[in-house]
Amino acid sequence: MIQSLRKAKNRARRLIAGSAHSKTPSINVINEAINFDLQSIFIAVPKTGTTSVRTQIKPPGNPLVPNPHLNIVQVRDLIYPFLLKSSLRKNNSYPSRNVPTDKEIRDQAQETFHNFFKFSAVRNPWARCVSLYFRREGVQTKRELTFEAFCEKHSFASDTCHHPTLHKNQFDWLCDEGGDMMMDFVYKVEEFQSAIEEISERTEGRVRLTFKSLNKNPESKSSDYRNMYNAKTKQLIAKSFEKDIDFFKYSF
């Protein structure tokens, strides 16, 4: 297992070294979600305070897919083509030596995903809805819709985000095709400070995060989100994000 992980890390490093001699940056990392040196995968669910984590652990380089908000299945499925790319055009011997078979590359991709520490963050759906309503991106939604109208239209956790494919709940970033959780650890953003120690313990000190203030929109009222709701809007969010509320044990 350790030898296979070292091979994956070395291939990534060879790609990085190769890019230094090229005018056109070559692809040398998969995505900011996966760090071979830390042996970790961090899934950044939008509007869950992930910016401070991403900036601390994302690997430097030119990614195969630059978008920051991929789900766990998308990240998993990118490992094989990345390792395949790093294995091609490397054979300068005849007869061929030290060239992996396709099965070996696929096995290595599977082993990498299985052994890397996979973690993420989620957020109270009612607070998250308020944060989305006051989002920075694009035209301020509150200028176009009342909060009640926004709650009526807010059906997907991926609403208002520029990057991800469609996701109904935050949970959907973190599960496999059958709906089973794939993460080793999911913390609540409201408990980030206490989660730092557990992340370090679970990774044997590889992933050491420092507490930083969340990158909060100064116009947002998510800290006092309850004041934004009435009985109707509270129930609308409860119905739309029932899976998140039940699985992660959130309450209003």
Side-chain angles (χ1 to χ4, degrees), residues 15-16 19 24-32 59-66 82 85:
L15 281 174
I16 293 172
S19 67
T24 303
S26 63
I27 294 169
N28 46 44
V29 294
I30 298 175
N31 178 262
E32 67 174 60
N62 186 39
L64 177 63
V65 178
F82 177 79
K85 177 179 173 58

Side-chain angles (χ1 to χ4, degrees), residues 163-178:
H163 292 279
T165 47
L166 202 61
H167 295 78
K168 174 63 178 173
N169 283 266
Q170 296 173 81
F171 181 91
D172 299 332
W173 266 278
L174 313 176
C175 66
D176 64 16
E177 297 89 336

Side-chain angles (χ1 to χ4, degrees), residues 47-50 52 120-131 170 185-196 211-212 214 222-226 244-245 248-252:
K47 294 301 182 192
T48 61
T50 59
S52 62
S120 186
V122 293
R123 188 176 186 180
N124 183 303
W126 289 282
R128 188 174 181 275
C129 176
V130 173
S131 180
Q170 296 173 81
F185 180 58
V186 180
Y187 66 87
K188 295 179 178 180
V189 67
E190 299 87 357
E191 301 169 355
F192 175 54
Q193 192 163 11
S194 62
I196 290 174
F211 180 77
K212 297 182 179 181
L214 300 180
S222 57
S223 297
D224 302 312
Y225 68 89
R226 293 180 184 87
D244 284 343
I245 293 166
F248 298 113
K249 309 301 181 186
Y250 273 112
S251 61
F252 184 73

Side-chain angles (χ1 to χ4, degrees), residues 83-91 105:
L83 294 181
L84 174 64
K85 177 179 173 58
S86 67
S87 299
L88 299 176
R89 300 186 68 180
K90 297 293 190 298
N91 182 39
I105 298 171

Side-chain angles (χ1 to χ4, degrees), residues 22-128:
S22 173
K23 294 182 179 180
T24 303
S26 63
I27 294 169
N28 46 44
V29 294
I30 298 175
N31 178 262
E32 67 174 60
I34 182 167
N35 188 310
F36 277 83
D37 287 330
L38 300 179
Q39 297 178 30
S40 68
I41 297 173
F42 178 67
I43 300 302
V45 178
K47 294 301 182 192
T48 61
T50 59
T51 300
S52 62
V53 178
R54 288 164 46 207
T55 56
Q56 291 182 67
I57 67 172
K58 69 178 182 179
N62 186 39
L64 177 63
V65 178
N67 306 67
H69 298 301
L70 300 183
N71 65 40
I72 187 63
V73 172
Q74 291 166 335
V75 172
R76 178 199 68 190
D77 292 348
L78 284 173
I79 298 174
Y80 165 72
F82 177 79
L83 294 181
L84 174 64
K85 177 179 173 58
S86 67
S87 299
L88 299 176
R89 300 186 68 180
K90 297 293 190 298
N91 182 39
N92 295 315
S93 63
Y94 180 81
S96 299
R97 297 183 180 88
N98 300 320
V99 177
T101 66
D102 184 69
K103 184 180 185 304
E104 288 174 333
I105 298 171
R106 291 182 185 276
D107 288 347
Q108 186 177 337
Q110 184 176 3
E111 185 177 3
T112 297
F113 180 78
H114 176 76
N115 289 293
F116 277 24
F117 178 69
K118 298 170 280 293
F119 70 112
S120 186
V122 293
R123 188 176 186 180
N124 183 303
W126 289 282
R128 188 174 181 275

